[in-house]
Amino acid sequence: MLQNYFKIAVRSIWKHRLFSIINIFGLASGLMVCFLAIAHIKGALDYDNFHTNRDRIYRIITDVHTKEDDKTAFATTPLPLAETLKKDYGFVENSARIVRTYGEVLGNEKRLDFLTFAVDASFFQIFGYPVAQGHVPTRPGTAVISQQTAEKLFGKKDPIGQVLEQDGIAPSIITGVIADTTSRSHLRFDILFALPKDKMNLFDEGKGWNEYGKSYTYVLVKQGILEYQLQNILPAISKRESAGLAPGGIKSLGFRAQPLTRISPAMEELMNSTYEAQLSGLTVEMSVGLVTLIMAAFNYINLTLARSMSRAREVGIRKTSGALRWQLLGQFMAESVILSLLALGLAYIMLELVKPMAFVQQWLIGGVVWDWKLWASFVTFSIAAGLLAGLIPAKVLSNFQPAEVLRSRNGLKIIRGISLRKTLIVLQFSISLLAMIALVTMMRQQYYMATGDYGFQNKNVLNIPLNNIPYERLSNEIGKLAGVEHVSGISEPFGHHGATERIKTKRADENTVTSFIFDVAPDFTKTLKLTLVAGKDLPEKFTAGHQILINEEAVKKFGLGDSKSAVGKSIWLNDSTEVEISGVVKDFRFKSFNWEIKPLILRPEIPGLRYMHVAVASGSEDRVLAETEKIYTKLNSYETFEGKWFDDFLYERHAHIDDISFMALLLGISFSIACLGLLGMVTYNTQTRIREVGIRKVMGAEVAQIIWLLSRDFVKLLSIAGAIALPLGYLAGYAFLMNFAYHINIGFETLGLCFGVLLLLGGLIISTRTYKAATGNPVEALGNE
């Protein structure tokens, strides 16, 4: 019987090849997206599996209760908790603290940003990170780095014994290199400094149990100790230490133990969370895959039901011959399974094509182990998807009665004459159009951020990382080149992060204002063509002076009156340095477009410069770039020249090409499925009405009239889809744009473009199929009953 099912299914698939191809491609597309989500979910479940003692490791999290009875969960804890657990409870074998540190790291005369932490020596006894070279830190003043960090800082030089420096951390000697591994962990780092036990107040500012936001606490329990035993001791610690909290908004602290094996995926949102996958994100990813798969299933249901009359005759004959309903169900389900297995093969090919995409590697499948369990889940999911997609058509078709077939009673109505098939088409195109509006909005916003007017000159400005080259030496060499108009420098390029400081207008004032501060070199305003609205520019030659430039927003936030009256006044940086305002520059966007314009200080500080800006005359770009690279290589032959044009820097930072490419792929799949479904429906509709077309042509109907007759119902469906998706897409687009202080507007250029593409694609599909039917020979149409 199974062999018979297989033969009939293969013959049916081959007989209706167009419909089969549409179904296989649609199911394969949906399966491919689902496979990416499944692989990511498996990767999230495999986090931290490489640690030998993973079943005995717990992270302690803190529940902060306010006096308003609000509760917030933190992944961090007070610093003293780790020592308390190890000292007071015998079943705790070891404990370790991990504290995030900030600031650039100086090593090998390079100053770069890294992901850095300070950890107890016991950290390496709890966790099983493999060491590629050297040994782990055993005392303060030592550190380990990752292999990638070693390559960035030292190239081929041996990093062992080299010294790293970071603000707030004592100079640390590198004792080991942690091996790069493809295995995923919720803890990510570039550098781990040894945590000094005698200077803990540097990290909690002497607040002790009152500071719960800086340290992660991990414990290793002894063999045979169960989770509830650790959980049972934490309330007593919470009660004891909450009684000694300083007066304020915090009512009490509660502690919970979280097994390492259950950190990822995260079931709850934690403040100061680490890098574990979030359940909400995985749910969204799987939802996208399921929506794509459901759209493909819509096609299968739609096209199968569209051919319901021809299959109904088959059902009638088989039932008359004595076939039972469950046998017919088995036959139709066998077709679905075969289609799903064919789709699985195509989905595998599509998966291999998208695997190399940067977005896919970085955010979805990087580090995922592709073992037999993952492939078994793919096969199982594919068969289940095929069975579910074929269930509705199988139940409907197997339920036909011979008498109903003879009377052509195949009505599949759900609401007052609106057929199920038409409803599915509307849903498909509504989803596709909604996704298109959202994607186009995102693309327009990213392009706006990448190419918009920041208020400073970024075209024909070369942006060069200094690394360990002295600014004065490089600027003197480059300044001599023909075509170079101005040379200056900055601590961090605009459009990047930048440092902040607390500013006071009076030293004794308790009120402070957070301001972004950049160290700059002479000629800075001329290089980037900043507009001076009051006062005078910084002197062309300066040392670490006490004159600064501020922007108009800083004048407002500092309470200095207007721009003219602000000139000559003094402010205090970090309670220690008094500086005089030399001039005020016009407001410009020195941060990302996510931010509104903030207070800005430009401070003359040559030692703080990390980048050089070179303003180049038009027409000299290529020559100046080539000569600058030669000068740079001559002064620092060990480093690769990484200079790039400022507008290219902003474009790469804000365009997010990899993300947009992946989303465009999903949109293309969505529209392909919808269009193929429409193609199948139009093809079937024209085939079933071919005799009607022949009669109308004999009676004198024009080709245009016949085309409109065959296509008007589908045009109506596209219009309904547009009416549904346009307002929803508008709302979805603005929900995304609310994350940006400066953003585009969603108008006709977005909505009209997307709806126009929908009508164009739908119109091409409809017109090509209906035109062929309308221009056919009526004699052949009437003769083919």
Side-chain angles (χ1 to χ4, degrees):
M1 183 175 66
L2 292 177
Q3 184 179 7
N4 187 45
Y5 285 167
F6 178 78
K7 287 182 179 179
I8 295 175
V10 170
R11 290 170 182 170
S12 178
I13 291 171
W14 182 251
K15 180 179 179 182
H16 305 284
R17 290 186 291 276
L18 174 62
F19 300 114
S20 299
I21 291 172
I22 292 173
N23 286 328
I24 291 171
F25 176 81
L27 288 173
S29 301
L31 288 174
M32 185 270 291
V33 180
C34 287
F35 289 170
L36 290 175
I38 292 172
H40 191 195
I41 291 171
K42 180 184 182 297
L45 294 172
D46 289 343
Y47 267 49
D48 298 298
N49 277 357
F50 61 96
H51 297 299
T52 306
N53 300 319
R54 59 183 177 275
D55 294 330
R56 297 192 289 133
I57 300 173
Y58 295 85
R59 178 173 71 177
I60 310 300
I61 60 180
T62 305
D63 291 322
V64 179
H65 301 267
T66 67
K67 292 186 176 180
E68 292 78 21
D69 290 328
D70 292 328
K71 175 184 171 182
T72 305
F74 283 74
T76 48
T77 62
L79 275 166
L81 179 61
E83 186 66 23
T84 298
L85 290 169
K86 183 179 179 182
K87 183 176 64 174
D88 296 346
Y89 300 94
F91 61 79
V92 175
E93 183 176 314
N94 220 330
S95 65
R97 295 163 295 191
I98 305 173
V99 181
R100 177 79 164 93
T101 63
Y102 298 91
E104 296 173 337
V105 176
L106 176 63
N108 194 30
E109 299 184 347
K110 298 180 183 179
R111 190 179 294 272
L112 301 173
D113 286 319
F114 290 108
L115 184 60
T116 59
F117 292 87
V119 301
D120 286 320
S122 54
F123 172 85
F124 300 98
Q125 299 167 13
I126 295 176
F127 294 99
Y129 289 100
V131 179
Q133 184 180 356
H135 60 84
V136 298
T138 57
R139 57 183 175 81
T142 55
V144 293
I145 61 178
S146 67
Q147 286 182 307
Q148 288 186 350
T149 304
E151 293 174 2
K152 288 182 180 179
L153 281 175
F154 304 104
K156 297 181 179 180
K157 187 187 299 184
D158 185 3
I160 304 298
Q162 300 291 331
V163 177
L164 301 178
E165 296 181 25
Q166 187 183 49
D167 289 342
I169 300 290
S172 301
I173 300 173
I174 299 174
T175 63
V177 178
I178 300 295
D180 291 336
T181 175
T182 57
S183 300
R184 290 188 169 190
S185 173
H186 76 287
L187 290 173
R188 300 177 189 172
F189 55 84
D190 297 316
I191 300 173
L192 295 178
F193 295 102
L195 191 62
K197 293 184 178 180
D198 57 339
K199 296 182 180 180
M200 295 308 299
N201 60 341
L202 292 176
F203 297 97
D204 65 6
E205 299 175 355
K207 296 179 181 179
W209 291 91
N210 291 281
E211 177 56 76
Y212 49 81
K214 293 186 177 180
S215 170
Y216 300 92
T217 297
Y218 293 84
V219 297
L220 175 68
V221 299
K222 292 182 178 179
Q223 292 282 359
I225 299 299
L226 301 178
E227 179 184 346
Y228 79 91
Q229 294 175 271
L230 178 60
Q231 296 282 17
N232 287 343
I233 67 171
L234 295 176
I237 301 176
S238 303
K239 184 177 180 180
R240 182 180 71 233
E241 301 303 336
S242 294
L245 291 176
I250 303 303
K251 180 180 179 181
S252 64
L253 300 178
F255 302 118
R256 286 182 283 146
Q258 186 180 33
L260 181 68
T261 53
R262 294 208 299 267
I263 288 180
S264 178
M267 300 298 178
E268 64 176 321
E269 298 284 344
L270 298 176
M271 299 294 292
N272 300 339
S273 63
T274 44
Y275 298 93
E276 60 270 19
Q278 299 293 321
L279 182 63
S280 57
L282 296 176
T283 302
V284 170
E285 292 170 11
M286 196 64 197
S287 298
V288 172
L290 289 176
V291 167
T292 310
L293 187 60
I294 288 171
M295 290 177 63
F298 282 175
N299 276 355
Y300 184 86
I301 296 170
N302 217 349
L303 297 177
T304 305
L305 295 180
R307 296 185 289 120
S308 59
M309 270 313 301
S310 60
R311 301 307 298 269
R313 294 190 185 96
E314 174 189 344
V315 170
I317 294 172
R318 289 175 64 85
K319 281 193 172 184
T320 303
S321 302
L324 300 177
R325 188 185 180 193
W326 68 267
Q327 293 173 318
L328 295 171
L329 266 172
Q331 175 192 325
F332 293 128
M333 297 301 285
E335 288 185 27
S336 300
V337 171
I338 292 174
L339 278 174
S340 66
L341 291 176
L342 292 173
L344 172 62
L346 181 57
Y348 171 75
I349 296 174
M350 297 169 70
L351 186 63
E352 291 298 315
L353 293 176
V354 303
K355 265 187 180 181
M357 294 181 68
F359 180 92
V360 174
Q361 285 293 329
Q362 181 177 358
W363 298 109
L364 297 177
I365 64 174
V368 175
V369 179
W370 295 76
D371 53 15
W372 69 269
K373 296 179 182 178
L374 185 58
W375 290 111
S377 66
F378 287 170
V379 174
T380 304
F381 186 85
S382 301
I383 294 174
L387 290 173
L388 290 174
L391 183 61
I392 293 177
K395 291 185 68 174
V396 171
L397 294 175
S398 63
N399 197 40
F400 279 138
Q401 299 298 323
E404 290 181 339
V405 174
L406 294 175
R407 292 195 295 268
S408 297
R409 293 178 58 190
N410 65 325
L412 295 167
K413 312 296 182 180
I414 52 176
I415 301 175
R416 292 188 181 181
I418 302 177
S419 71
L420 177 60
R421 300 191 301 273
K422 293 179 180 179
T423 303
L424 296 181
I425 287 179
V426 170
L427 282 175
Q428 282 183 321
F429 277 97
S430 297
I431 293 171
S432 299
L433 182 57
L434 174 61
M436 185 179 186
I437 294 171
L439 179 61
V440 170
T441 301
M442 294 173 67
M443 293 175 66
R444 289 188 60 215
Q445 176 64 21
Q446 304 295 4
Y447 183 78
Y448 170 63
M449 294 172 63
T451 62
D453 182 12
Y454 281 78
F456 61 85
Q457 176 70 17
N458 55 57
K459 189 172 180 59
N460 289 356
V461 174
L462 192 58
N463 188 37
I464 308 170
L466 291 173
N467 290 330
N468 61 338
I469 301 178
Y471 169 79
E472 294 91 340
R473 186 175 181 185
L474 185 60
S475 63
N476 288 336
E477 294 285 343
I478 294 178
K480 299 175 184 178
L481 299 177
V484 172
E485 296 178 336
H486 297 284
V487 178
S488 189
I490 192 171
S491 54
E492 198 77 34
F494 291 148
H496 211 269
H497 301 295
T500 59
E501 289 191 11
R502 306 296 294 179
I503 307 300
K504 292 182 178 181
T505 54
K506 296 180 181 179
R507 189 171 190 179
D509 195 352
E510 294 184 358
N511 297 322
T512 60
V513 177
T514 301
S515 176
F516 285 88
I517 186 165
F518 292 83
D519 294 338
V520 297
D523 261 2
F524 185 77
T525 58
K526 296 177 182 177
T527 303
L528 297 190
K529 295 184 179 179
L530 303 181
T531 302
L532 202 67
V533 296
K536 57 183 180 180
D537 198 356
L538 297 172
E540 293 186 3
K541 293 184 179 181
F542 55 75
T543 56
H546 295 286
Q547 291 185 325
I548 61 169
L549 296 178
I550 64 175
N551 65 351
E552 294 172 304
E553 183 66 17
V555 174
K556 298 176 186 177
K557 291 294 170 57
F558 296 163
L560 301 177
D562 58 22
S563 298
K564 290 184 179 180
S565 60
V567 175
K569 292 184 178 179
S570 296
I571 60 174
W572 289 84
L573 309 181
N574 290 331
D575 283 340
S576 59
T577 305
E578 184 181 14
V579 293
E580 179 186 337
I581 299 172
S582 172
V584 179
V585 296
K586 185 178 180 181
D587 282 340
F588 62 95
R589 298 164 181 170
F590 60 92
K591 295 283 292 177
S592 167
F593 282 18
N594 298 65
W595 296 56
E596 294 180 349
I597 294 175
K598 300 292 183 180
L600 168 69
I601 295 175
L602 300 177
R603 176 178 59 184
E605 284 283 353
I606 296 295
L609 303 180
R610 291 181 53 218
Y611 291 83
M612 175 177 289
H613 293 331
V614 181
V616 181
S618 297
S620 305
E621 296 90 347
D622 293 339
R623 178 176 53 79
V624 170
L625 179 60
E627 293 180 359
T628 299
E629 184 173 358
K630 289 180 182 178
I631 294 172
Y632 185 94
T633 304
K634 182 179 69 174
L635 296 177
N636 189 356
S637 58
Y638 298 101
E639 297 291 338
T640 302
F641 178 71
E642 297 178 349
K644 62 180 60 176
W645 299 105
F646 209 152
D647 53 350
D648 292 338
F649 166 80
L650 293 174
Y651 187 87
E652 292 175 6
R653 178 167 176 77
H654 297 295
H656 300 288
I657 300 299
D658 294 334
D659 300 2
I660 294 297
S661 298
F662 182 72
M663 288 185 287
L665 172 66
L666 294 182
L667 178 64
I669 290 173
S670 174
F671 258 104
S672 298
I673 293 172
C675 290
L676 287 173
L678 180 63
L679 174 63
M681 284 298 300
V682 174
T683 300
Y684 180 79
N685 185 62
T686 54
Q687 287 176 354
T688 56
R689 301 179 67 178
I690 195 69
R691 190 165 180 269
E692 175 191 348
V693 170
I695 294 173
R696 289 181 179 274
K697 290 192 72 173
V698 171
M699 299 299 293
E702 300 288 340
V703 172
Q705 292 174 316
I706 295 175
I707 292 176
W708 174 244
L709 176 71
L710 296 175
S711 62
R712 62 185 180 187
D713 286 342
F714 294 104
V715 174
K716 290 178 182 178
L717 297 180
L718 295 180
S719 300
I720 294 172
I724 294 172
L726 288 176
L728 293 178
Y730 181 86
L731 294 175
Y734 262 106
F736 168 74
L737 294 177
M738 291 300 292
N739 296 309
F740 302 91
Y742 306 99
H743 56 74
I744 61 169
N745 293 317
I746 302 177
F748 179 77
E749 68 281 356
T750 298
L751 300 179
L753 170 67
C754 295
F755 189 57
V757 170
L758 172 71
L759 292 179
L760 177 63
L761 292 175
L764 286 174
I765 293 170
I766 296 168
S767 60
T768 52
R769 304 305 297 180
T770 55
Y771 179 79
K772 181 179 180 180
T775 56
N777 190 338
V779 176
E780 295 179 358
L782 293 173
N784 185 23
E785 176 58 40

